[in-house]
Amino acid sequence: QPLVLRVHEAGGTGGSAPRGAFGDIRLTPDGSAFVRLELPKREIYVGESIPVEIQVGMRDGFVTSLNGLPTLNGDEFTLNNLSHRPQKIGRLIDGKAFTVLTWRSILGAVKPGAFSLSAESPLTVRIRTRPRRESQLDDLLGDPFMQNFYGATVPKDITVSSPPAAFTVLALPTQGRPPDFRGAVGTFKISSDL
């Protein structure tokens, strides 16, 4: 698949990225986390399976825990073999340190139609108890430990969602369909023990 890059001007108006958005990453309003859904294509047939990648980014020092595996937001799809041990890497986003967890799985479609697909993940984050204008020192300190020490915070459970992706599931074609076809699509291995 081709890699698509978006280059934004630093500062300025016309080409700058909107607040909280970096390429196809949409941060929470407080900038503490994001969920990203990576799909190789946006149109498949019923029963077809495609690889999918779900990334959960957590800003170091602001997200205290991941409270479960990521999930999809609809019953029209199945997510198979989601690994319990994701790949873990560090990444800088807008100059801030994030830990990014990546799960890889197989996405299957169970019925035709046009859908909006997104992934979500439950997290616990640190929320400031003082108004932002009174805690500018927290931002100037930069270090999450110092921010949490000088700026009072409380834990809060949130659910972070990826931006919705338009997704089309096509019905299987009828032309050339074998008369004994019953809807099974894929490669199968059958064995028997007596």
Side-chain angles (χ1 to χ4, degrees):
Q1 294 294 322
L3 178 64
V4 178
L5 302 176
R6 294 185 188 102
V7 181
H8 299 280
E9 293 179 19
T13 53
S16 61
R19 180 172 171 76
F22 302 93
D24 57 351
I25 292 175
R26 186 176 65 192
L27 293 171
T28 55
D30 64 355
S32 64
F34 69 86
V35 175
R36 182 173 176 265
L37 183 62
E38 176 81 23
L39 301 164
K41 55 184 180 177
R42 301 291 175 93
E43 187 176 273
I44 63 173
Y45 284 97
V46 170
E48 183 180 0
S49 296
I50 59 170
V52 64
E53 191 173 281
I54 300 173
Q55 295 180 352
V56 177
M58 302 173 290
R59 186 170 169 194
D60 296 353
F62 287 81
V63 177
T64 59
S65 66
L66 175 69
N67 301 328
L69 294 173
T71 57
L72 294 179
N73 66 345
D75 297 332
E76 301 86 9
F77 300 92
T78 60
L79 199 58
N80 300 320
N81 302 323
L82 188 66
S83 57
H84 290 280
R85 298 183 65 126
Q87 177 187 3
K88 181 179 178 180
I89 62 167
R91 181 175 176 189
L92 282 179
I93 298 175
D94 194 31
K96 311 287 191 305
F98 279 75
T99 297
V100 180
L101 303 177
T102 302
W103 287 265
R104 290 175 180 84
S105 185
I106 301 296
L107 178 75
V110 297
K111 66 180 182 178
F115 305 103
S116 179
L117 181 63
S118 65
E120 59 186 28
S121 181
L123 303 171
T124 300
V125 297
R126 296 182 189 273
I127 301 294
R128 291 180 173 145
T129 58
R130 293 187 295 162
R132 188 166 183 84
R133 65 181 178 277
E134 294 179 11
S135 55
Q136 290 177 352
L137 175 64
D138 304 351
D139 294 329
L140 294 174
L141 292 171
D143 177 36
F145 174 77
M146 296 301 286
Q147 290 175 347
N148 293 330
F149 181 77
Y150 286 105
T153 61
V154 294
K156 180 179 179 182
D157 293 335
I158 64 171
T159 299
V160 182
S161 299
S162 66
F167 204 85
T168 303
V169 181
L170 305 171
L172 294 173
T174 56
Q175 184 177 359
R177 179 182 291 185
D180 59 348
F181 179 72
R182 297 287 181 265
V185 177
T187 303
F188 303 93
K189 180 177 179 181
I190 300 173
S191 64
S192 175
D193 291 325
L194 298 176

